[in-house]
Amino acid sequence: MEHLESEETEGRQKLHDTRHNFISSIAQNMDLYGLSETNGRLYGTILFSDKPMTLDDMSQALEMSKTSMSTGVRSLTEAGMLSRVWEKGVRKDLYQTDDDWYKSFTSIFVNRWRESTDKNKNAAVKAKSELEFLFQITGKGSLREEIQKDLEILDQAVRYYSWLNEVINLFENGGIFDIIPKK
Amino acid sequence: MEHLESEETEGRQKLHDTRHNFISSIAQNMDLYGLSETNGRLYGTILFSDKPMTLDDMSQALEMSKTSMSTGVRSLTEAGMLSRVWEKGVRKDLYQTDDDWYKSFTSIFVNRWRESTDKNKNAAVKAKSELEFLFQITGKGSLREEIQKDLEILDQAVRYYSWLNEVINLFENGGIFDIIPKK
DNA sequence: TCGTACGTACAGTTTTTACCGTACAAACTT
DNA sequence: AAGTTTGTACGGTAAAAACTGTACGTACGA
């Protein structure tokens, strides 16, 4: 019996270690999604939790302050990686991960890229129109040529961002799954 | 004549400002590609330069130390955003941007995502095999159930990363352009 | 071969970010 | 309504990153 118990705790330790290693891996690569490694570890911890977690649970699990958990949870929630869940009789806020990775990771990807692409495209369009005006009122000369050259670059930029925008749409509306089906 | 000269410098100033604004925009969003804002500004500056730039040129343009330019240029070069170019009679190293944005940005995207996806997938596969072994030698009980549950999560992870891997391939081999043509 | 110019390694400094503890506001319990 | 409990804003601190100047190795030109 004694022996079995030790096997049990040993196995539990192994399970914990394995989890920990995997969580470390995804946490280290979470910067691709705009999340810090710590928040990645937080996400991983909640992902493997068998039940929704409170801030105190997280604080204990990661041995970090509750304040940090609070801000981390906010980031993850805003990114759409986490959602708050209700349980009657429980006063504390409970959080859990969405178990559809396609949805979670696609949405965070789309949000980030959409925002930056829009900004850049707008900046390019604005710059272009400014230079087009400047081009009009500039007499022949080296300046005029420089403007011309900048306009070509900006034109390319706008086209690139338009393309990128469509790529993002493909992910947002799920069209990507027609091309590369979920596994 | 005096008047025309002032118009010329005024126009040049306007051109400079417009450039600067656009460069700021793309620099601020360069973190999506794993580059710092400063390096983004560096990229933008070289992009709009009419000729290849030396480290001293960059240092002067950004009012930053040559050392920083050196490290920045290295990052950008490694990322495939910049290439060194030769010019006879010029001792200094010359750098210029590749003018194909599709190529530049796709390659940097692919490299980053490929690396992290591989790592995560390997970590998931490793964890899975460890837990499968653990599952074998574990008698019925709560631990066994937990392992089971983790295995399901890992299974989903592996499938997700496989899918993501194919998505990355789509960008790497240019298949994406069949679906969403360049503009 | 010597001298000069270029790029970068390295160490020190500044700036930014991450994290924590305290304190307080909101919400729940009794 | 008073007393708890919970989450977060805020200010301070520790850790990390960005940036700089110096100093040195390397390569080119005389």
Side-chain angles (χ1 to χ4, degrees):
Chain A
M1 197 59 184
E2 202 100 335
H3 179 58
L4 283 178
E5 266 175 31
S6 119
E7 261 185 12
E8 159 93 12
T9 52
E10 206 178 288
R12 197 167 288 277
Q13 179 63 41
K14 179 65 187 161
L15 173 62
H16 177 272
D17 289 349
T18 302
R19 262 188 201 170
H20 183 81
N21 286 339
F22 178 63
I23 289 174
S24 293
S25 178
I26 61 174
Q28 276 163 24
N29 298 113
M30 212 53 112
D31 62 316
L32 283 182
Y33 299 94
L35 296 172
S36 69
E37 188 176 335
T38 301
N39 285 347
R41 221 157 47 226
L42 181 57
Y43 172 81
T45 304
I46 302 171
L47 172 69
F48 279 100
S49 168
D50 49 339
K51 31 182 179 290
M53 294 182 83
T54 68
L55 292 181
D56 287 313
D57 293 337
M58 303 172 201
S59 180
Q60 188 173 2
L62 296 184
E63 296 184 4
M64 287 181 69
S65 74
K66 205 166 129 183
T67 322
S68 293
M69 299 303 98
S70 177
T71 58
V73 159
R74 181 195 296 184
S75 300
L76 288 170
T77 306
E78 280 175 357
M81 304 285 291
L82 225 57
S83 53
R84 199 152 124 216
V85 66
W86 254 67
E87 227 164 85
K88 67 173 182 180
V90 179
R91 270 182 67 178
K92 304 185 182 186
D93 292 354
L94 290 168
Y95 294 92
Q96 68 182 16
T97 58
D98 192 324
D99 58 347
D100 184 348
W101 278 34
Y102 296 98
K103 219 177 75 184
S104 297
F105 288 97
T106 301
S107 88
I108 188 172
F109 166 82
V110 164
N111 287 339
R112 274 173 51 102
W113 285 74
R114 161 91 56 224
E115 192 185 354
S116 104
T117 304
D118 282 352
K119 281 185 186 162
N120 282 347
K121 188 179 175 182
N122 288 339
V125 168
K126 181 159 175 278
K128 220 180 126 185
S129 77
E130 284 175 13
L131 292 195
E132 272 161 359
F133 175 73
L134 191 61
F135 188 75
Q136 298 277 329
I137 63 170
T138 301
K140 296 190 194 310
S142 68
L143 176 58
R144 193 174 167 94
E145 277 171 34
E146 279 188 58
I147 298 172
Q148 179 76 41
K149 198 153 167 300
D150 278 25
L151 277 172
E152 279 165 29
I153 294 172
L154 289 170
D155 215 63
Q156 189 193 22
V158 170
R159 287 201 303 272
Y160 171 73
Y161 290 125
S162 299
W163 173 81
L164 189 51
N165 187 47
E166 287 191 32
V167 170
I168 294 165
N169 286 344
L170 189 66
F171 282 82
E172 187 164 40
N173 60 31
I176 183 69
F177 297 118
D178 296 334
I179 298 152
I180 301 181
K182 291 184 187 180
K183 310 229 162 248
Chain B
M1 197 59 183
E2 203 99 337
H3 178 59
L4 282 178
E5 267 177 29
S6 120
E7 260 186 13
E8 159 93 12
T9 53
E10 207 177 285
R12 198 165 288 278
Q13 179 64 41
K14 179 65 188 161
L15 172 63
H16 177 271
D17 289 350
T18 301
R19 263 187 200 170
H20 183 81
N21 286 339
F22 178 64
I23 290 175
S24 292
S25 179
I26 62 172
Q28 276 162 25
N29 299 111
M30 211 55 108
D31 62 316
L32 284 182
Y33 300 94
L35 297 173
S36 68
E37 188 177 336
T38 301
N39 284 347
R41 223 158 46 226
L42 181 57
Y43 172 81
T45 304
I46 301 172
L47 171 70
F48 279 99
S49 169
D50 49 337
K51 29 181 179 291
M53 294 182 82
T54 68
L55 292 181
D56 286 313
D57 292 337
M58 304 171 200
S59 180
Q60 188 173 0
L62 296 185
E63 296 184 4
M64 287 181 69
S65 73
K66 203 165 129 183
T67 319
S68 294
M69 299 304 97
S70 177
T71 58
V73 159
R74 180 196 299 185
S75 301
L76 288 169
T77 305
E78 280 174 359
M81 304 285 291
L82 224 58
S83 53
R84 196 149 130 219
V85 65
W86 254 66
E87 226 164 85
K88 66 172 183 180
V90 179
R91 270 183 67 177
K92 303 185 184 188
D93 293 354
L94 290 167
Y95 294 92
Q96 68 183 16
T97 59
D98 191 324
D99 58 347
D100 184 348
W101 278 32
Y102 296 98
K103 216 178 75 184
S104 296
F105 287 99
T106 300
S107 87
I108 187 172
F109 166 84
V110 164
N111 287 340
R112 274 173 52 100
W113 285 73
R114 161 92 56 222
E115 192 185 354
S116 105
T117 304
D118 283 352
K119 280 185 188 163
N120 282 347
K121 188 179 174 181
N122 288 339
V125 168
K126 179 157 175 277
K128 221 179 126 186
S129 76
E130 284 174 12
L131 292 195
E132 272 161 0
F133 175 72
L134 191 59
F135 187 76
Q136 298 275 331
I137 63 170
T138 302
K140 296 191 195 309
S142 68
L143 177 57
R144 194 176 166 93
E145 276 170 35
E146 280 188 59
I147 298 171
Q148 179 76 41
K149 197 154 166 300
D150 278 25
L151 278 172
E152 278 165 28
I153 294 172
L154 288 170
D155 215 63
Q156 188 193 22
V158 170
R159 286 202 304 272
Y160 171 73
Y161 290 124
S162 299
W163 174 82
L164 189 52
N165 188 47
E166 287 191 29
V167 170
I168 294 165
N169 286 343
L170 188 67
F171 282 82
E172 188 164 39
N173 62 30
I176 184 67
F177 297 118
D178 296 335
I179 297 152
I180 302 181
K182 292 184 187 179
K183 308 224 162 257

